[in-house]
Amino acid sequence: MLGLTLGAGPAQAQTGAEAFPKRPITLVVGYAAGGSVDLVARTVAPELSKRLGQQVLVENVAGAGGTLGAYRVVAAQPDGYTLLMGSPSEVGINALISKRSRYNALTDLAPVGMIGSQPLVLVTTPRVPVSDIASFRSHVAARPGKLAYASSGIGTPLHLAGELIKSEGRLFMLHIPYRGAAPMVTDLLGGQVDFAVFVLSSALPHIQEGRMKAIGVTSAKRSAAAPQIPALAEDKTFGGVDLGVWFGLFAPAKTPAPALGQLQKELREVLRQPDVIAKLQAAGLTLTPDLDGRRFVRSEVERFAKIVEFAKIEAE
């Protein structure tokens, strides 16, 4: 857990019954420490602590693709003291693929604010005779069902991105789900799979070392973190490919408006801090503090639903 001992902050200027917060806040991450969601949480938490005048403690509740952590927040008292650092899997995808989901993020979570996003990247290895987007499409189209791509698991953004690429390109590739990036790297480099979808920041070191070849990023435009890698959407065949990993701060749905408003205000200020911007950009994020969180998440869920239906994705 991460906390700071603080003096008076901006939020402590409030007095009386409306004062918020009066005690430490728990920021839940639905994944183990060290991942991208955790990194965003631990970048934002100290600055939120300073702004709010109370400790913001990061709590890792890993398991079930982030859904254990999300449910921990959904089931918490809606008072602003338990928050979620959310990402697409547990906020946007889970309810679409699992009949056993215990919550619906659209109705059970209230967006405090969107923080940023980063693209995914489709990669292969030097042994595969693919050098660009056009040759990727022709190579796969000529071998329907004989090639495979890897993702970090069923129903993850990486899986949905792979299925979106297949849909847009009218391609038939097998999907091989893995449990995390490390075994994906091993099998891709070992030739057990032909292609893989990674978060850009995870694949970039391997690309720079020449161990992997980048075919294209899954954002509508090139990423500032790797402008040399084309966007798949630059090829009109894949013009509809625009899917990445995003991060946002969420509270339980019935959190009182004064507390929610205070959190929204201070998060916007945190995302204006130069050191926060620099750290998140260094991790490959494009900051998106001006997005309307509720509208954005709803539109993402609609897009995810189309991919889930196309690929007939169901949770294991």
Side-chain angles (χ1 to χ4, degrees):
M1 300 180 81
L2 175 67
L4 298 174
T5 302
L6 304 161
Q12 290 182 324
Q14 301 179 69
T15 59
E18 295 182 357
F20 173 87
K22 293 182 177 179
R23 55 186 170 86
I25 292 171
T26 298
L27 176 52
V28 176
V29 172
Y31 304 90
S36 57
V37 182
D38 184 69
L39 181 149
V40 174
R42 292 178 187 274
T43 299
V44 169
E47 298 302 322
L48 265 182
S49 297
K50 294 174 186 176
R51 299 286 314 171
L52 292 167
Q54 290 286 352
Q55 293 178 323
V56 177
L57 307 170
V58 175
E59 178 182 342
N60 296 91
V61 184
T67 60
L68 293 184
Y71 187 70
R72 157 97 164 79
V73 176
V74 166
Q77 187 71 23
D79 52 14
Y81 289 96
T82 306
L83 306 175
L84 174 72
M85 185 58 70
S87 66
S89 291
E90 68 277 16
V91 175
I93 301 172
N94 173 66
L96 298 173
I97 66 172
S98 175
K99 297 177 181 178
R100 295 176 293 177
S101 178
R102 296 186 289 175
Y103 65 90
N104 183 332
L106 291 177
T107 55
D108 295 332
L109 290 171
V112 175
M114 302 310 297
I115 294 170
S117 65
Q118 63 173 311
L120 309 173
V121 61
L122 176 66
V123 300
T124 188
T125 59
R127 69 177 180 81
V128 177
V130 167
S131 57
D132 54 22
I133 300 170
S135 60
F136 158 73
R137 186 181 185 283
S138 60
H139 183 76
V140 177
R143 298 163 180 81
K146 296 181 179 179
L147 302 175
Y149 81 93
S151 84
S152 58
I154 293 174
T156 61
L158 285 68
H159 179 198
L160 266 65
E163 294 303 312
L164 179 58
I165 292 166
K166 287 168 55 178
S167 173
E168 289 289 309
R170 295 181 174 85
L171 301 173
F172 178 24
M173 284 191 293
L174 300 176
H175 170 236
I176 310 297
Y178 286 80
R179 294 187 179 276
M184 286 169 59
V185 171
T186 299
D187 278 10
L188 178 67
L189 297 181
Q192 278 71 46
V193 289
D194 308 281
F195 304 96
V197 180
F198 283 92
V199 174
L200 177 59
S201 58
S202 297
L204 207 49
H206 301 286
I207 294 168
Q208 292 168 338
E209 292 167 7
R211 288 156 35 108
M212 294 181 188
K213 291 192 295 186
I215 298 167
V217 294
T218 63
S219 49
K221 298 179 180 180
R222 299 190 183 206
S223 169
Q228 75 280 10
I229 301 175
L232 288 167
E234 292 176 21
D235 185 309
K236 63 180 181 180
T237 301
F238 299 100
V241 174
D242 183 13
L243 192 154
V245 177
W246 42 258
F247 309 91
L249 190 63
F250 297 83
K254 296 182 180 179
T255 300
L260 195 62
Q262 185 69 27
L263 290 166
Q264 291 169 337
K265 175 177 177 288
E266 303 305 345
L267 178 62
R268 284 194 297 269
E269 291 301 319
V270 165
L271 295 178
R272 292 191 180 105
Q273 303 302 313
D275 54 339
V276 172
I277 294 171
K279 188 168 184 178
L280 293 176
Q281 287 180 338
L285 271 71
T286 297
L287 271 64
T288 57
D290 296 326
L291 281 177
D292 180 318
R294 192 173 300 277
R295 183 178 299 173
F296 173 76
V297 171
R298 189 171 297 279
S299 68
E300 286 290 278
V301 170
E302 291 173 357
R303 293 202 308 133
F304 294 154
K306 293 177 182 178
I307 302 170
V308 168
E309 182 179 1
F310 161 79
K312 297 179 173 57
I313 301 172
E314 292 186 9
E316 294 178 311

